DNA sequence: CCCCAAACTTGAATCATTCAAGAAAATTCG
DNA sequence: CGAATTTTCTTGAATGATTCAAGTTTGGGG
């Protein structure tokens, strides 16, 4: 996993101040891929002691706006975050337990798909969510 | 647009009772593609008089579970519904104003895409959201 | 026409997220 | 190095979509 210095460098490059909560959030999201806000808050408190939930929300927004984090939100789920950005990869979501896994882009570089009729929209990204059942749930229900 | 009888038939085929709120919700969603719940509630009240918001939520869930409606929820938006179901089409969302337009599937029948590595998941649907800017916002910002 | 499960009404509760105002900390510049 | 300035964090309350719960009404089979 990236070092503390690596995270700090990313923050500076994005014109953001380097603070303990921000470093902790970066580490937490890195360690818990696709984690929801509550999980991230708990992880951050585990490493720093008490931190306000508002601070975590602020940090998640700032880092997302800066492009250091990516926010995803499958139907019926709260917001989730991941550190893997800039490679336009996608996600598989289990309909049963909600587990999420990364999937590489199926058709090349972003935007990796071309709409049949774009209605005049200028498209710059195609976000794909695959729905199905994860190995564990499939086994449990058979 | 489908007739009242057409909607009633769809409800019966789905083993659901035919009620005025349900017919009104079907018509409202049909008339307001991609509308959020609040818009639907207002449209229903316009045609039926006072109807509890809870009834509309119940109906939307029942119809969605029955496959008569499809629920979509782009990042940062509340739940939206549409009557076009079963054809695995996708959506273009404007990053600026949030306008949504339908887009036919680029690669054939569902699931229209193949994941590079499915991690053992059994995938039955690929949901695609194209992000970009609609003609109006593009013009307004130039 | 009667019955009863399914639907609807009313009213309160939940919970993720946001708002607001002041305190604390991180860069900048002297 | 130390004060000034601005960003970030804390505290505490508010918002708003959605859900829960209990009781009433209604659709449609018998």
């Amino acid at each position: 996993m990236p070092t503390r210095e690596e995270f700090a460098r990313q923050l500076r490059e994005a014109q953001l101040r380097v603070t303990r909560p921000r470093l902790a959030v970066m580490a937490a999201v890195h360690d818990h891929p696709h984690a929801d806000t509550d999980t991230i808050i708990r992880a951050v408190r585990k490493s720093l002691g008490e931190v306000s939930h508002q601070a975590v929300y602020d940090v998640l927004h700032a880092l997302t706006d800066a492009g250091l984090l990516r926010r995803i939100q499958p139907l019926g789920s709260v917001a989730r975050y991941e550190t893997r950005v800039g490679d336009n990869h996608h996600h598989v979501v289990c309909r049963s337990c909600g587990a999420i896994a990364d999937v590489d882009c199926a058709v090349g570089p972003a935007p990796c798909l071309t709409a049949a009729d774009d209605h005049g929209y200028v498209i710059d990204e195609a976000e794909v969510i695959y729905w199905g059942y994860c190995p564990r749930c499939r086994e449990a229900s058979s």
Side-chain angles (χ1 to χ4, degrees), chain A:
Chain A
M1 108 142 135
T3 64
R4 188 180 212 77
E5 283 69 35
E6 177 67 13
F7 287 141
R9 192 182 55 71
Q10 290 186 1
L11 287 170
R12 287 203 194 83
E13 279 176 4
Q15 319 262 342
L16 294 171
R17 292 185 176 175
V18 178
T19 66
R20 291 161 66 64
R22 283 178 177 171
L23 293 173
V25 167
M26 291 285 281
V29 175
H30 186 91
D31 289 347
H32 303 80
H34 314 125
D36 59 34
T37 311
D38 193 59
T39 301
I40 295 167
I41 290 175
R42 263 199 285 270
V44 168
R45 288 186 177 156
K46 202 164 187 175
S47 71
L48 287 191
E50 188 56 26
V51 177
S52 68
H53 65 125
Q54 185 61 55
V56 176
Y57 275 99
D58 283 351
V59 170
L60 289 173
H61 277 147
L63 299 192
T64 301
D65 290 346
L68 299 186
L69 294 182
R70 180 174 167 196
R71 181 181 189 170
I72 58 179
Q73 184 168 25
L75 245 182
S77 170
V78 296
R80 292 166 180 282
Y81 294 86
E82 64 183 355
T83 50
R84 202 177 148 187
V85 297
D87 64 348
N88 193 236
H89 71 279
H90 306 303
H91 300 100
V92 215
V93 183
C94 177
R95 288 187 195 280
S96 173
C97 69
I100 300 176
D102 285 336
V103 174
D104 284 322
C105 191
V107 201
C112 69
L113 297 166
T114 308
D117 171 6
D118 62 14
H119 290 265
Y121 282 58
V122 174
I123 297 172
D124 55 43
E125 183 186 349
E127 175 186 356
V128 182
I129 295 182
Y130 295 96
W131 291 94
Y133 294 90
C134 71
R136 180 176 303 181
C137 287
R138 208 149 35 91
E139 196 164 327
S141 69
S142 61

